[in-house]
Amino acid sequence: AARNGRPRLASRAGAARGDPASAVADYTEALRLNPNFVNAYLNRSEAYTMLGNEDGAMVDQIEAVRQAPKRTAAFVGFAKFWTGAGDPVMAIETAKQACILSKWSDWMALRTLAAAYASAGERGEADQWFAKAMEWAPDEDRPALEAEATRR
């Protein structure tokens, strides 16, 4: 079903509940209804990753970036994909692009860049970017960000 011309989805909750297969089915239906729904590609990519389907995740990340080449979230998602796929060089480059698009002011992009550097074993760079992300993060997100920085 659609609301305001956009598919209604409960799939993010489905993926969070540990039902990524259901999420993939829901996002696939959303994309059938609206093939330009970039968030559905980003979220389905996350669900594919949870299922171990790296090919499906990559295809969706590429499509999200193709459709929204100036959208920070598309590049954040792709950088997370590369980090999970074990390619820190691509993760860093893609996260940098997200930061450039946001004019280095989006805390999620900065956090993703920090995580990419951490996955590359570059602790100094990771710490620097986690600190910058902390500056921009909303107060309610800072404790989780601080905990994440400490774990790395």
Side-chain angles (χ1 to χ4, degrees), residues 6-111:
R6 300 204 101 173
R8 284 179 48 196
L9 301 172
S11 295
R12 255 189 103 74
R17 281 193 317 269
D19 188 6
S22 170
V24 166
D26 288 347
Y27 288 125
T28 300
E29 176 62 12
L31 290 165
R32 185 187 68 73
L33 296 170
N34 179 358
N36 299 315
F37 189 15
V38 174
N39 283 350
Y41 286 107
L42 293 171
N43 294 332
R44 187 172 69 175
S45 175
E46 286 182 34
Y48 276 142
T49 298
M50 293 169 118
L51 292 170
N53 181 347
E54 283 191 15
D55 291 341
M58 180 182 274
V59 167
D60 279 358
Q61 288 296 337
I62 291 169
E63 185 59 21
V65 168
R66 187 190 72 72
Q67 285 193 22
K70 295 184 180 187
R71 188 164 169 207
T72 301
F75 284 90
V76 165
F78 213 1
K80 288 179 180 179
F81 167 81
W82 287 119
T83 298
D87 191 334
V89 172
M90 285 299 295
I92 290 167
E93 290 307 310
T94 310
K96 282 182 183 177
Q97 185 61 38
C99 291
I100 290 166
L101 286 169
S102 73
K103 298 180 175 39
W104 301 88
S105 65
D106 182 297
W107 75 274
M108 295 287 288
L110 295 166
R111 176 183 144 246

XYZ file of all heavy atoms in Angstrom, residues 6-111:
810
model
N 4.016 7.138 -1.715
C 5.199 6.383 -1.327
C 4.784 5.102 -0.630
O 3.825 5.091 0.122
C 6.050 7.202 -0.378
C 6.498 8.500 -1.039
C 7.685 8.967 -0.402
N 8.790 8.584 -1.271
C 10.016 8.968 -1.064
N 10.296 9.687 -0.024
N 10.976 8.641 -1.864
N 5.492 4.038 -0.849
C 5.155 2.777 -0.189
C 5.304 2.889 1.320
O 6.218 3.530 1.807
C 6.184 1.801 -0.760
C 6.717 2.455 -1.981
C 6.594 3.929 -1.771
N 4.373 2.297 2.032
C 4.476 2.218 3.495
C 5.216 0.941 3.831
O 4.884 -0.117 3.333
C 3.090 2.195 4.134
C 2.436 3.555 4.134
C 1.069 3.526 4.740
N 1.076 2.821 6.014
C -0.017 2.387 6.606
N -1.187 2.573 6.047
N 0.037 1.776 7.760
N 6.207 1.065 4.680
C 7.019 -0.099 4.997
C 7.218 -0.238 6.493
O 7.412 0.731 7.191
C 8.412 0.036 4.364
C 8.438 0.173 2.853
C 9.839 0.483 2.388
C 7.965 -1.113 2.213
N 7.178 -1.468 6.942
C 7.531 -1.766 8.331
C 8.822 -2.561 8.335
O 9.183 -3.172 9.315
C 6.414 -2.563 8.982
N 9.515 -2.543 7.218
C 10.651 -3.434 7.035
C 11.863 -3.086 7.860
O 12.626 -3.947 8.236
C 11.048 -3.473 5.571
O 9.995 -4.053 4.857
N 12.085 -1.817 8.129
C 13.235 -1.476 8.982
C 13.054 -2.147 10.332
O 13.990 -2.695 10.889
C 13.371 0.030 9.136
C 14.518 0.516 8.303
C 14.891 1.918 8.506
N 16.055 2.166 9.293
C 17.291 1.976 8.899
N 17.535 1.471 7.716
N 18.292 2.282 9.657
N 11.824 -2.102 10.813
C 11.532 -2.789 12.071
C 11.692 -4.288 11.890
O 12.196 -4.980 12.768
C 10.118 -2.454 12.538
N 11.287 -4.813 10.736
C 11.428 -6.241 10.467
C 12.886 -6.653 10.462
O 13.246 -7.682 11.035
N 13.736 -5.847 9.841
C 15.154 -6.163 9.821
C 15.735 -6.080 11.227
O 16.530 -6.921 11.633
C 15.895 -5.216 8.877
N 15.305 -5.069 11.980
C 15.797 -4.916 13.354
C 15.357 -6.081 14.231
O 16.056 -6.452 15.166
C 15.309 -3.590 13.937
N 14.189 -6.655 13.936
C 13.693 -7.812 14.705
C 14.418 -9.091 14.314
O 14.151 -10.151 14.854
C 12.198 -8.017 14.447
C 11.285 -7.103 15.192
C 9.843 -7.599 15.112
N 9.449 -8.054 13.797
C 8.890 -7.315 12.846
N 8.667 -6.047 13.059
N 8.552 -7.842 11.693
N 15.291 -8.992 13.340
C 15.998 -10.190 12.914
C 15.296 -10.929 11.802
O 15.518 -12.118 11.619
N 14.457 -10.237 11.044
C 13.754 -10.864 9.932
C 14.136 -10.164 8.629
O 13.294 -9.545 7.976
C 12.245 -10.797 10.176
C 11.461 -11.610 9.158
O 12.073 -12.312 8.334
O 10.218 -11.514 9.181
N 15.416 -10.238 8.243
C 15.833 -9.534 7.039
C 15.201 -10.073 5.761
O 15.014 -9.324 4.807
C 17.352 -9.691 7.031
C 17.635 -10.856 7.907
C 16.519 -10.902 8.914
N 14.824 -11.356 5.733
C 14.181 -11.904 4.525
C 12.843 -11.217 4.276
O 12.507 -10.882 3.132
C 13.999 -13.414 4.663
N 12.098 -10.985 5.343
C 10.833 -10.255 5.229
C 11.078 -8.818 4.771
O 10.333 -8.280 3.956
C 10.107 -10.282 6.579
O 9.010 -9.422 6.573
N 12.133 -8.221 5.310
C 12.472 -6.851 4.913
C 12.806 -6.790 3.428
O 12.347 -5.898 2.714
C 13.637 -6.337 5.753
N 13.593 -7.758 2.929
C 13.934 -7.790 1.507
C 12.668 -7.877 0.669
O 12.502 -7.153 -0.322
C 14.899 -8.960 1.185
C 14.975 -9.204 -0.325
C 16.283 -8.673 1.735
N 11.745 -8.743 1.058
C 10.492 -8.884 0.301
C 9.703 -7.581 0.297
O 9.180 -7.164 -0.746
C 9.656 -10.017 0.893
N 9.627 -6.921 1.456
C 8.879 -5.657 1.538
C 9.529 -4.563 0.700
O 8.850 -3.820 -0.007
C 8.761 -5.197 2.986
C 7.802 -6.054 3.798
O 7.043 -6.841 3.200
O 7.826 -5.927 5.034
N 10.865 -4.457 0.781
C 11.542 -3.421 -0.010
C 11.459 -3.723 -1.499
O 11.354 -2.809 -2.314
C 13.000 -3.265 0.434
C 13.113 -2.607 1.784
C 13.803 -3.213 2.817
C 12.513 -1.380 2.041
C 13.906 -2.619 4.065
C 12.602 -0.778 3.280
C 13.304 -1.401 4.284
O 13.391 -0.810 5.506
N 11.493 -4.984 -1.854
C 11.345 -5.353 -3.259
C 9.968 -4.925 -3.775
O 9.851 -4.378 -4.876
C 11.571 -6.868 -3.450
O 12.907 -7.176 -3.012
C 11.385 -7.291 -4.892
N 8.947 -5.130 -2.967
C 7.605 -4.685 -3.340
C 7.547 -3.166 -3.432
O 6.946 -2.612 -4.354
C 6.571 -5.208 -2.326
C 5.157 -4.714 -2.562
C 4.537 -5.133 -3.901
O 5.102 -6.010 -4.591
O 3.477 -4.584 -4.259
N 8.180 -2.488 -2.494
C 8.208 -1.015 -2.535
C 8.871 -0.537 -3.819
O 8.391 0.408 -4.457
C 8.954 -0.472 -1.318
N 9.936 -1.210 -4.231
C 10.633 -0.809 -5.449
C 9.844 -1.167 -6.699
O 9.964 -0.486 -7.720
C 12.031 -1.422 -5.474
C 12.962 -0.802 -4.434
C 14.195 -1.660 -4.229
C 13.324 0.618 -4.812
N 9.014 -2.191 -6.618
C 8.121 -2.495 -7.742
C 7.139 -1.346 -7.919
O 6.845 -0.914 -9.034
C 7.376 -3.811 -7.500
C 6.517 -4.249 -8.699
C 5.659 -5.454 -8.374
N 4.619 -5.160 -7.398
C 3.505 -4.437 -7.647
N 3.302 -3.910 -8.842
N 2.597 -4.243 -6.703
N 6.646 -0.814 -6.805
C 5.693 0.294 -6.844
C 6.360 1.623 -7.211
O 5.746 2.470 -7.855
C 4.990 0.441 -5.485
C 4.126 -0.742 -5.055
C 3.699 -0.577 -3.601
C 2.921 -0.870 -5.973
N 7.598 1.800 -6.759
C 8.309 3.053 -7.010
C 9.794 2.750 -7.175
O 10.543 2.721 -6.193
C 8.092 4.035 -5.855
C 8.822 5.345 -6.062
O 9.526 5.532 -7.052
N 8.666 6.249 -5.118
N 10.244 2.511 -8.411
C 11.643 2.141 -8.636
C 12.640 3.261 -8.347
O 13.839 3.045 -8.399
C 11.682 1.742 -10.109
C 10.438 2.233 -10.709
C 9.443 2.467 -9.618
N 12.154 4.441 -8.003
C 13.028 5.568 -7.685
C 13.095 5.849 -6.187
O 13.543 6.916 -5.779
C 12.565 6.827 -8.422
C 12.620 6.624 -9.917
O 13.588 6.096 -10.448
N 11.570 7.012 -10.606
N 12.671 4.920 -5.369
C 12.624 5.073 -3.913
C 14.000 4.712 -3.345
O 14.263 3.573 -2.968
C 11.514 4.182 -3.358
C 11.185 4.355 -1.913
C 11.599 5.449 -1.179
C 10.432 3.394 -1.275
C 11.275 5.590 0.160
C 10.098 3.514 0.062
C 10.524 4.616 0.783
N 14.886 5.703 -3.284
C 16.281 5.483 -2.912
C 16.408 4.839 -1.530
O 17.227 3.932 -1.339
C 17.079 6.805 -2.993
C 18.490 6.627 -2.462
C 17.110 7.296 -4.433
N 15.615 5.269 -0.566
C 15.709 4.681 0.777
C 15.425 3.184 0.761
O 15.995 2.444 1.560
C 14.767 5.376 1.760
C 15.310 6.708 2.216
O 16.457 7.040 1.952
N 14.482 7.473 2.897
N 14.564 2.738 -0.133
C 14.286 1.307 -0.216
C 15.528 0.546 -0.684
O 15.807 -0.544 -0.188
C 13.101 1.037 -1.132
N 16.278 1.126 -1.632
C 17.521 0.481 -2.063
C 18.518 0.417 -0.908
O 19.160 -0.607 -0.684
C 18.161 1.234 -3.238
C 17.440 1.021 -4.542
C 16.675 2.030 -5.103
C 17.526 -0.194 -5.222
C 16.007 1.846 -6.300
C 16.858 -0.390 -6.416
C 16.100 0.635 -6.952
O 15.445 0.441 -8.130
N 18.648 1.528 -0.177
C 19.594 1.570 0.942
C 19.215 0.560 2.023
O 20.068 -0.185 2.527
C 19.641 2.978 1.536
C 20.233 4.063 0.623
C 20.019 5.439 1.230
C 21.698 3.800 0.349
N 17.944 0.519 2.355
C 17.493 -0.386 3.417
C 17.504 -1.847 2.977
O 17.837 -2.739 3.758
C 16.113 0.029 3.915
C 16.152 1.373 4.609
O 17.159 1.772 5.175
N 15.043 2.091 4.552
N 17.150 -2.094 1.711
C 17.202 -3.477 1.232
C 18.650 -3.959 1.190
O 18.932 -5.117 1.499
C 16.544 -3.602 -0.147
C 16.442 -5.075 -0.592
C 15.646 -5.246 -1.847
N 16.337 -4.692 -3.005
C 15.903 -4.791 -4.247
N 14.754 -5.408 -4.517
N 16.583 -4.257 -5.246
N 19.566 -3.055 0.868
C 20.975 -3.420 0.887
C 21.409 -3.872 2.278
O 22.122 -4.872 2.428
C 21.837 -2.234 0.435
O 23.202 -2.547 0.554
N 20.966 -3.158 3.311
C 21.278 -3.562 4.684
C 20.699 -4.941 4.991
O 21.359 -5.772 5.619
C 20.729 -2.542 5.682
C 21.500 -1.248 5.734
C 20.942 -0.286 6.762
O 20.452 -0.732 7.823
O 21.002 0.921 6.498
N 19.478 -5.163 4.555
C 18.846 -6.473 4.794
C 19.599 -7.576 4.041
O 19.821 -8.664 4.581
C 17.377 -6.430 4.387
N 19.987 -7.299 2.791
C 20.777 -8.283 2.036
C 22.075 -8.596 2.779
O 22.504 -9.752 2.844
C 21.120 -7.757 0.643
C 20.067 -7.960 -0.414
C 19.830 -6.979 -1.373
C 19.326 -9.137 -0.499
C 18.895 -7.155 -2.372
C 18.377 -9.320 -1.495
C 18.169 -8.327 -2.435
O 17.246 -8.504 -3.427
N 22.712 -7.566 3.325
C 23.950 -7.777 4.071
C 23.706 -8.689 5.260
O 24.504 -9.602 5.532
C 24.542 -6.426 4.522
O 24.851 -5.650 3.355
C 25.805 -6.605 5.341
N 22.588 -8.477 5.964
C 22.256 -9.338 7.104
C 22.074 -10.787 6.671
O 22.350 -11.706 7.446
C 20.981 -8.846 7.789
C 21.122 -7.512 8.457
S 19.496 -6.901 8.945
C 19.728 -6.837 10.712
N 21.627 -10.978 5.435
C 21.420 -12.332 4.902
C 22.691 -12.917 4.290
O 22.689 -14.067 3.847
C 20.317 -12.310 3.842
C 18.907 -12.024 4.346
C 17.959 -11.775 3.172
C 18.406 -13.187 5.206
N 23.757 -12.125 4.229
C 24.999 -12.601 3.626
C 25.015 -12.509 2.110
O 25.879 -13.094 1.462
N 24.082 -11.758 1.537
C 23.998 -11.606 0.089
C 24.744 -10.324 -0.316
O 24.141 -9.282 -0.535
C 22.528 -11.551 -0.350
C 22.372 -11.422 -1.851
O 23.326 -11.139 -2.581
N 21.148 -11.614 -2.320
N 26.077 -10.425 -0.389
C 26.884 -9.250 -0.720
C 26.608 -8.740 -2.125
O 26.649 -7.536 -2.358
C 28.375 -9.549 -0.551
C 28.816 -9.538 0.885
C 30.331 -9.566 1.021
O 31.051 -9.321 0.032
O 30.789 -9.839 2.141
N 26.339 -9.641 -3.075
C 26.061 -9.200 -4.442
C 24.805 -8.342 -4.488
O 24.788 -7.274 -5.100
C 25.912 -10.395 -5.384
C 27.233 -11.127 -5.613
O 28.306 -10.533 -5.353
O 27.191 -12.288 -6.045
N 23.742 -8.818 -3.829
C 22.502 -8.041 -3.792
C 22.701 -6.703 -3.095
O 22.186 -5.674 -3.543
N 23.464 -6.722 -2.005
C 23.732 -5.479 -1.270
C 24.488 -4.488 -2.143
O 24.154 -3.301 -2.182
C 24.520 -5.790 0.003
N 25.487 -4.974 -2.864
C 26.274 -4.079 -3.707
C 25.436 -3.494 -4.842
O 25.511 -2.294 -5.124
C 27.489 -4.789 -4.288
C 28.313 -3.850 -5.186
S 29.714 -4.649 -5.937
C 30.897 -4.435 -4.637
N 24.644 -4.325 -5.480
C 23.792 -3.845 -6.568
C 22.873 -2.727 -6.068
O 22.720 -1.687 -6.724
C 22.978 -5.006 -7.190
C 21.861 -4.496 -8.084
C 23.906 -5.937 -7.959
N 22.282 -2.907 -4.891
C 21.387 -1.883 -4.352
C 22.140 -0.613 -3.966
O 21.642 0.497 -4.162
C 20.603 -2.424 -3.155
C 19.403 -3.249 -3.578
O 19.142 -3.389 -4.791
O 18.705 -3.756 -2.672
N 23.346 -0.752 -3.432
C 24.135 0.439 -3.092
C 24.507 1.212 -4.354
O 24.425 2.443 -4.382
C 25.400 0.049 -2.316
C 25.136 -0.389 -0.915
C 24.562 0.716 -0.042
O 24.715 1.902 -0.291
N 23.878 0.316 1.013
N 24.900 0.497 -5.387
C 25.235 1.156 -6.659
C 24.022 1.892 -7.207
O 24.128 3.031 -7.661
C 25.793 0.135 -7.674
C 27.179 -0.339 -7.217
C 25.832 0.717 -9.082
C 27.714 -1.532 -7.979
N 22.863 1.262 -7.155
C 21.642 1.898 -7.664
C 21.287 3.139 -6.841
O 20.865 4.158 -7.387
C 20.475 0.917 -7.683
C 19.207 1.483 -8.303
C 19.363 1.940 -9.751
O 20.289 1.511 -10.458
O 18.533 2.772 -10.187
N 21.458 3.060 -5.534
C 21.164 4.224 -4.682
C 22.075 5.393 -5.038
O 21.616 6.536 -5.174
C 21.314 3.857 -3.203
N 23.358 5.123 -5.223
C 24.303 6.186 -5.594
C 24.001 6.695 -7.001
O 24.068 7.895 -7.257
C 25.759 5.687 -5.461
C 26.738 6.649 -6.102
C 26.102 5.474 -3.990
N 23.636 5.793 -7.904
C 23.299 6.215 -9.278
C 22.104 7.154 -9.273
O 22.094 8.181 -9.949
C 23.005 4.992 -10.152
C 22.819 5.348 -11.638
C 22.306 4.173 -12.434
N 20.923 3.868 -12.167
C 19.859 4.603 -12.575
N 20.054 5.711 -13.246
N 18.642 4.228 -12.296
N 21.090 6.816 -8.478
C 19.880 7.636 -8.447
C 20.044 8.916 -7.635
O 19.348 9.890 -7.877
C 18.709 6.829 -7.875
C 18.170 5.818 -8.847
C 16.841 5.264 -8.395
O 16.110 5.851 -7.609
N 16.507 4.097 -8.903
N 20.932 8.882 -6.652
C 21.074 10.048 -5.762
C 22.561 10.387 -5.575
O 23.098 10.283 -4.474
C 20.411 9.754 -4.420
N 23.231 10.809 -6.658
C 24.678 11.023 -6.581
C 25.104 12.191 -5.691
O 26.283 12.327 -5.393
C 25.082 11.270 -8.038
C 23.842 11.777 -8.691
C 22.704 11.081 -7.984
N 24.155 12.987 -5.245
C 24.486 14.117 -4.364
C 23.913 13.934 -2.967
O 23.869 14.870 -2.186
C 23.998 15.416 -4.980
C 24.727 15.737 -6.264
C 24.320 17.052 -6.840
C 25.128 17.248 -8.116
N 24.952 18.550 -8.692
N 23.494 12.727 -2.671
C 22.873 12.451 -1.378
C 23.865 11.773 -0.437
O 24.346 10.675 -0.716
C 21.643 11.581 -1.582
C 20.847 11.412 -0.334
C 19.484 10.886 -0.632
N 18.881 10.500 0.611
C 17.965 9.577 0.728
N 17.512 8.968 -0.343
N 17.472 9.274 1.895
N 24.146 12.425 0.647
C 25.108 11.924 1.621
C 24.773 10.511 2.059
O 25.650 9.640 2.131
C 25.165 12.870 2.838
O 25.543 14.173 2.381
C 26.152 12.401 3.871
N 23.506 10.240 2.355
C 23.103 8.923 2.876
C 23.446 7.792 1.916
O 23.773 6.683 2.353
C 21.615 8.916 3.197
N 23.388 8.061 0.618
C 23.719 7.013 -0.355
C 25.186 6.601 -0.220
O 25.518 5.418 -0.251
C 23.417 7.487 -1.771
N 26.057 7.589 -0.030
C 27.480 7.290 0.101
C 27.816 6.722 1.482
O 28.704 5.891 1.611
C 28.316 8.529 -0.224
C 28.387 8.779 -1.700
C 27.441 9.564 -2.321
C 29.371 8.196 -2.472
C 27.476 9.784 -3.690
C 29.418 8.404 -3.838
C 28.471 9.193 -4.456
N 27.096 7.151 2.515
C 27.284 6.565 3.844
C 26.965 5.068 3.779
O 27.719 4.229 4.274
C 26.424 7.277 4.911
C 26.332 6.472 6.199
C 26.970 8.669 5.200
N 25.843 4.732 3.159
C 25.462 3.327 3.030
C 26.493 2.523 2.263
O 26.824 1.395 2.653
N 27.013 3.098 1.190
C 27.995 2.381 0.387
C 29.305 2.203 1.170
O 29.940 1.147 1.098
C 28.250 3.116 -0.929
C 28.557 2.229 -2.099
C 28.579 0.852 -2.008
C 28.824 2.793 -3.331
C 28.861 0.043 -3.106
C 29.106 2.009 -4.445
C 29.131 0.630 -4.327
N 29.699 3.218 1.926
C 30.916 3.098 2.747
C 30.746 2.007 3.797
O 31.670 1.219 4.040
C 31.239 4.439 3.402
N 29.563 1.933 4.403
C 29.302 0.861 5.373
C 29.383 -0.503 4.690
O 29.898 -1.462 5.256
C 27.927 1.043 6.020
C 27.869 2.186 6.993
C 26.455 2.307 7.559
C 26.312 3.421 8.536
N 24.936 3.538 9.040
N 28.856 -0.579 3.476
C 28.949 -1.833 2.725
C 30.408 -2.240 2.554
O 30.780 -3.379 2.815
C 28.267 -1.711 1.347
C 28.618 -2.856 0.439
C 27.957 -4.063 0.565
C 29.638 -2.738 -0.490
C 28.302 -5.146 -0.244
C 29.989 -3.811 -1.300
C 29.319 -5.013 -1.172
N 31.252 -1.298 2.091
C 32.658 -1.617 1.847
C 33.370 -2.015 3.143
O 34.202 -2.931 3.131
C 33.373 -0.447 1.185
C 32.995 -0.266 -0.250
C 32.403 0.831 -0.810
C 33.179 -1.197 -1.323
N 32.203 0.624 -2.154
C 32.667 -0.605 -2.489
C 33.720 -2.468 -1.398
C 32.688 -1.246 -3.725
C 33.742 -3.109 -2.636
C 33.236 -2.503 -3.781
N 33.027 -1.356 4.248
C 33.635 -1.728 5.526
C 33.268 -3.175 5.855
O 34.137 -3.977 6.204
C 33.180 -0.782 6.650
O 33.619 0.546 6.340
C 33.757 -1.189 7.996
N 31.990 -3.503 5.735
C 31.527 -4.864 6.010
C 32.107 -5.891 5.060
O 32.314 -7.050 5.421
N 32.379 -5.469 3.828
C 32.930 -6.384 2.822
C 34.440 -6.556 2.980
O 35.055 -7.333 2.240
C 32.603 -5.877 1.418
N 35.026 -5.829 3.936
C 36.454 -5.981 4.188
C 37.349 -5.220 3.235
O 38.504 -5.589 3.043
N 36.831 -4.143 2.642
C 37.642 -3.324 1.739
C 37.760 -1.917 2.329
O 37.017 -1.004 1.955
C 37.008 -3.275 0.349
C 37.929 -2.660 -0.697
O 38.813 -1.844 -0.332
O 37.766 -2.976 -1.883
N 38.706 -1.734 3.269
C 38.802 -0.431 3.937
C 39.203 0.708 3.004
O 38.812 1.856 3.236
C 39.843 -0.659 5.032
C 40.593 -1.870 4.640
C 39.669 -2.696 3.797
N 39.949 0.433 1.947
C 40.339 1.494 1.018
C 39.094 2.081 0.349
O 38.902 3.306 0.308
C 41.353 0.982 -0.035
C 41.601 2.026 -1.111
C 42.651 0.579 0.649
N 38.219 1.214 -0.162
C 36.978 1.695 -0.779
C 36.066 2.331 0.265
O 35.386 3.318 -0.011
C 36.251 0.553 -1.493
C 36.895 0.146 -2.799
S 36.962 1.478 -4.033
C 35.229 1.745 -4.349
N 36.056 1.776 1.480
C 35.232 2.338 2.552
C 35.666 3.763 2.854
O 34.828 4.665 2.983
C 35.314 1.468 3.803
N 36.970 3.985 2.968
C 37.481 5.328 3.265
C 37.145 6.291 2.140
O 36.646 7.396 2.384
C 39.004 5.277 3.535
C 39.280 4.563 4.864
C 39.604 6.682 3.528
C 40.733 4.183 5.075
N 37.392 5.890 0.904
C 37.123 6.789 -0.228
C 35.640 7.125 -0.351
O 35.274 8.271 -0.614
C 37.662 6.187 -1.529
C 39.166 6.153 -1.595
C 39.811 7.511 -1.320
O 39.402 8.520 -1.927
O 40.729 7.568 -0.473
N 34.793 6.141 -0.151
C 33.353 6.371 -0.259
C 32.861 7.225 0.909
O 32.030 8.121 0.724
C 32.597 5.029 -0.320
O 33.209 4.204 -1.313
C 31.149 5.224 -0.697
N 33.388 6.986 2.103
C 33.013 7.799 3.266
C 33.487 9.233 3.089
O 32.774 10.179 3.466
C 33.589 7.197 4.542
N 34.667 9.426 2.505
C 35.144 10.786 2.230
C 34.180 11.507 1.291
O 33.902 12.697 1.465
C 36.548 10.763 1.615
C 37.642 10.535 2.612
C 38.996 10.572 1.900
C 40.141 10.291 2.820
N 41.431 10.257 2.100
N 33.676 10.796 0.290
C 32.719 11.411 -0.636
C 31.460 11.836 0.112
O 30.920 12.923 -0.139
C 32.368 10.449 -1.778
C 31.482 11.058 -2.829
C 32.106 12.264 -3.516
O 33.289 12.302 -3.775
N 31.297 13.263 -3.799
N 30.994 11.012 1.043
C 29.828 11.392 1.859
C 30.133 12.661 2.658
O 29.290 13.564 2.747
C 29.443 10.247 2.804
N 31.330 12.732 3.216
C 31.712 13.907 4.002
C 31.802 15.158 3.127
O 31.363 16.242 3.530
C 33.036 13.654 4.721
S 32.928 12.425 6.038
N 32.349 15.005 1.941
C 32.438 16.137 1.009
C 31.041 16.629 0.661
O 30.776 17.837 0.666
C 33.232 15.738 -0.249
C 34.712 15.562 0.105
C 33.040 16.755 -1.369
C 35.537 14.859 -0.967
N 30.143 15.698 0.347
C 28.771 16.093 -0.003
C 28.094 16.848 1.132
O 27.290 17.746 0.895
C 27.941 14.861 -0.376
C 28.241 14.242 -1.733
C 27.556 12.893 -1.860
C 27.814 15.181 -2.854
N 28.413 16.479 2.370
C 27.786 17.135 3.523
C 28.576 18.344 4.005
O 28.245 18.927 5.040
C 27.650 16.142 4.684
O 28.917 15.889 5.275
N 29.615 18.701 3.255
C 30.491 19.805 3.651
C 31.117 19.548 5.021
O 31.288 20.440 5.831
C 29.767 21.138 3.593
C 29.293 21.516 2.201
C 28.587 22.841 2.184
C 28.195 23.350 0.851
N 27.715 22.538 -0.163
N 31.388 18.262 5.283
C 32.054 17.810 6.506
C 31.268 18.163 7.757
O 31.831 18.402 8.829
C 33.491 18.344 6.584
C 34.304 17.896 5.403
C 34.412 18.541 4.206
C 35.059 16.699 5.276
N 35.199 17.815 3.339
C 35.617 16.675 3.979
C 35.332 15.634 6.135
C 36.425 15.640 3.513
C 36.146 14.604 5.679
C 36.681 14.614 4.380
N 29.935 18.170 7.646
C 29.113 18.555 8.800
C 28.058 17.519 9.183
O 27.292 17.757 10.103
C 28.422 19.892 8.524
O 27.504 19.771 7.454
N 28.020 16.382 8.510
C 27.050 15.336 8.830
C 27.720 14.334 9.764
O 28.664 13.641 9.376
C 26.587 14.652 7.542
C 25.553 13.580 7.774
O 25.866 12.579 8.444
O 24.425 13.724 7.275
N 27.221 14.248 10.993
C 27.890 13.405 11.986
C 27.888 11.935 11.596
O 28.833 11.211 11.889
C 27.298 13.617 13.375
C 25.963 12.995 13.623
C 24.742 13.517 13.351
C 25.731 11.719 14.210
N 23.756 12.648 13.716
C 24.330 11.535 14.257
C 26.556 10.715 14.704
C 23.745 10.382 14.764
C 25.969 9.559 15.221
C 24.578 9.417 15.248
N 26.846 11.487 10.882
C 26.807 10.082 10.459
C 27.886 9.803 9.406
O 28.512 8.745 9.422
C 25.427 9.736 9.897
C 24.308 9.807 10.913
S 24.331 8.454 12.080
C 23.792 7.121 11.048
N 28.103 10.751 8.500
C 29.160 10.586 7.499
C 30.531 10.583 8.175
O 31.395 9.764 7.844
C 29.072 11.698 6.457
N 30.721 11.481 9.131
C 31.992 11.544 9.861
C 32.226 10.260 10.655
O 33.343 9.736 10.705
C 32.010 12.765 10.777
C 31.975 14.115 10.048
C 31.647 15.233 11.024
C 33.281 14.372 9.327
N 31.162 9.756 11.278
C 31.240 8.492 12.031
C 31.615 7.348 11.100
O 32.420 6.475 11.437
C 29.907 8.211 12.698
C 29.877 6.879 13.409
C 28.480 6.647 13.996
N 28.181 5.249 13.874
C 27.244 4.733 13.112
N 26.468 5.497 12.392
N 27.038 3.455 13.077
